[in-house]
Amino acid sequence: MTLHVILKFPVDYTIAGGTTDTITEHQELCEAKNRLIWGHSSNKSTSLVSEVNRNRLKAQISNGENTYSFFLANNKGKRELYVGKMNTIYRKGEILTGSPLIDYIPSYYASSVGTATDKNNILVDVSTFFRIDEKYLINITLESTGTKVGTVENRTSVFLVNIDEELEKLLIDLLTNLESNFQYQVEQVEVPATVTVVDQPRNKPPKTTVGGTSSYKRDAKTAKTAIVSAQYLCEIDPSHKDFISRITKENYVEAHHLIPMEFQYDFPQSIDVEANIVSLCASCHKKLHHATFTDIQPLVEKLYDDRVDRLDDCGISISKTDLLEYYK
């Protein structure tokens, strides 16, 4: 079976002058550079992953096998699970001071990598970094014993693991389907139950690459804020209530950019703002993407009338006619 790695760590990491959020530091770097090198430290003097297993992981990657590094975070007693598709793995001392690879390591410890003060036993190089439901820990087993990782209770911070077909299919879908990945991340991200949205211009988002496809970055937290503001209701018809989400425990809805993000280049300001994001039931969302223009037109016109003033407040100027052109 294909070998993968899982790393355990606390979210809050002590640095000079206080603490930093490990997840945020790594996630933002990966989003900015489409690549991340995660250094994992331990009090142990060993490499944590033997040379034999490092070579095995590298061989899998070279042969085109999807190989993953899972990151199991302890966030104030709550478990959070993240995953990255691996490019390679490095032993301690393999990345030298001044190496261009340092650019892919978070700044709060990048300067120590390759020096005598480097505490990282291993470093994993990944091309993606995103959160998945921690329930999938039951789909990850220790290679040595077959024990489900979610049931293992010891202080070891690195495990060599295998994953089952269900999790493999999920990861392939999230890596190859940008829309599926985005909606999944929106479900996972947490925002307060009560939010206040201030509609104002924001800078254009950067472009990011996922699964080899480049697109303007959509912020899952902004989308979730729009959904919470809509009280998890469909903004085309509030009576549309399909089912209760297992993750949010609320009516399941999806985030839809009224002005599609692929047209961000037409606007000087960001269109990834709450004013441009509507909460829709799955059926209405699919209709806007797949129905005939005759069916789409009245829905878009309604949403435009509801949002035009808010869009103006965000510095986004568009006529109803021009918006409809995007849906033809």
Side-chain angles (χ1 to χ4, degrees), residues 11 26 97 129 143 169 177 271 273 319 327:
V11 167
H26 288 82
T97 303
F129 183 82
E143 182 171 72
K169 286 182 177 179
N177 186 327
I271 59 174
V273 293
S319 68
Y327 285 85

Side-chain angles (χ1 to χ4, degrees), residues 149-168:
V149 168
T151 65
V152 175
E153 295 184 7
N154 62 43
R155 303 189 68 177
T156 300
S157 63
V158 178
F159 297 111
L160 299 175
V161 300
N162 305 125
I163 65 176
D164 67 11
E165 186 177 354
E166 178 186 1
L167 180 52
E168 173 70 16

Side-chain angles (χ1 to χ4, degrees), residues 195-212:
V195 295
T196 300
V197 175
V198 178
D199 291 326
Q200 58 187 11
R202 297 179 195 168
N203 293 331
K204 275 187 178 183
K207 279 197 166 184
T208 187
T209 301
V210 177

Side-chain angles (χ1 to χ4, degrees), residues 57-223:
L57 290 164
K58 291 178 181 180
Q60 289 175 180
I61 296 165
S62 179
N63 291 333
E65 293 182 56
N66 290 328
T67 303
Y68 304 104
S69 180
F70 296 91
F71 306 88
L72 181 57
N74 181 346
N75 190 357
K76 299 177 176 62
K78 180 180 178 181
R79 293 193 302 190
E80 295 177 354
L81 184 61
Y82 297 80
V83 62
K85 185 176 180 181
M86 288 181 65
N87 298 317
T88 191
I89 183 170
Y90 307 96
R91 58 172 170 77
K92 183 174 184 176
E94 194 170 352
I95 298 179
L96 303 177
T97 303
S99 167
L101 294 174
I102 298 293
D103 290 344
Y104 303 104
I105 301 174
S107 59
Y108 73 90
Y109 66 91
S111 61
S112 69
V113 173
T115 71
T117 61
D118 188 358
K119 296 182 179 179
N120 296 294
N121 301 70
I122 58 169
L123 300 100
V124 292
D125 189 327
V126 297
S127 57
T128 59
F129 183 82
F130 53 85
R131 186 175 177 180
I132 62 174
D133 196 320
E134 62 98 13
K135 74 165 189 171
Y136 287 107
L137 284 171
I138 66 171
N139 301 79
I140 306 173
T141 55
L142 298 183
E143 182 171 72
S144 58
T145 64
T147 305
K148 295 182 186 299
V149 168
T151 65
V152 175
E153 295 184 7
N154 62 43
R155 303 189 68 177
T156 300
S157 63
V158 178
F159 297 111
L160 299 175
V161 300
N162 305 125
I163 65 176
D164 67 11
E165 186 177 354
E166 178 186 1
L167 180 52
E168 173 70 16
K169 286 182 177 179
L170 171 72
L171 296 177
I172 290 174
D173 181 50
L174 295 178
L175 287 169
T176 57
N177 186 327
L178 292 179
E179 182 61 26
S180 177
N181 192 325
F182 178 66
Q183 298 299 338
Y184 188 88
Q185 297 309 310
V186 172
E187 279 267 284
Q188 296 290 326
V189 73
E190 297 177 4
V191 300
T194 302
V195 295
T196 300
V197 175
V198 178
D199 291 326
Q200 58 187 11
R202 297 179 195 168
N203 293 331
K204 275 187 178 183
K207 279 197 166 184
T208 187
T209 301
V210 177
T213 301
S214 179
S215 61
Y216 285 101
K217 180 181 179 295
R218 295 179 290 178
D219 182 63
K221 191 169 185 178
T222 299

Side-chain angles (χ1 to χ4, degrees), residues 233-297:
L233 296 175
C234 176
E235 294 188 71
I236 287 176
D237 187 338
S239 70
H240 291 176
K241 296 181 179 180
D242 295 329
F243 59 90
I244 299 300
S245 165
R246 187 185 62 78
I247 296 172
T248 66
K249 305 300 188 292
E250 300 282 355
N251 179 49
Y252 178 80
V253 286
E254 297 177 345
H256 174 75
H257 287 75
L258 183 57
I259 303 172
M261 282 300 295
E262 62 191 281
F263 300 107
Q264 172 64 76
Y265 59 81
D266 284 340
F267 301 89
Q269 305 291 340
S270 175
I271 59 174
D272 187 38
V273 293
E274 290 89 350
N276 188 46
I277 300 173
V278 292
S279 171
L280 300 175
C281 69
S283 178
C284 286
H285 194 194
K286 287 184 182 298
K287 186 179 291 186
L288 284 181
H289 282 282
H290 304 295
T292 64
F293 181 71
T294 301
D295 289 330
I296 290 174
Q297 183 173 355

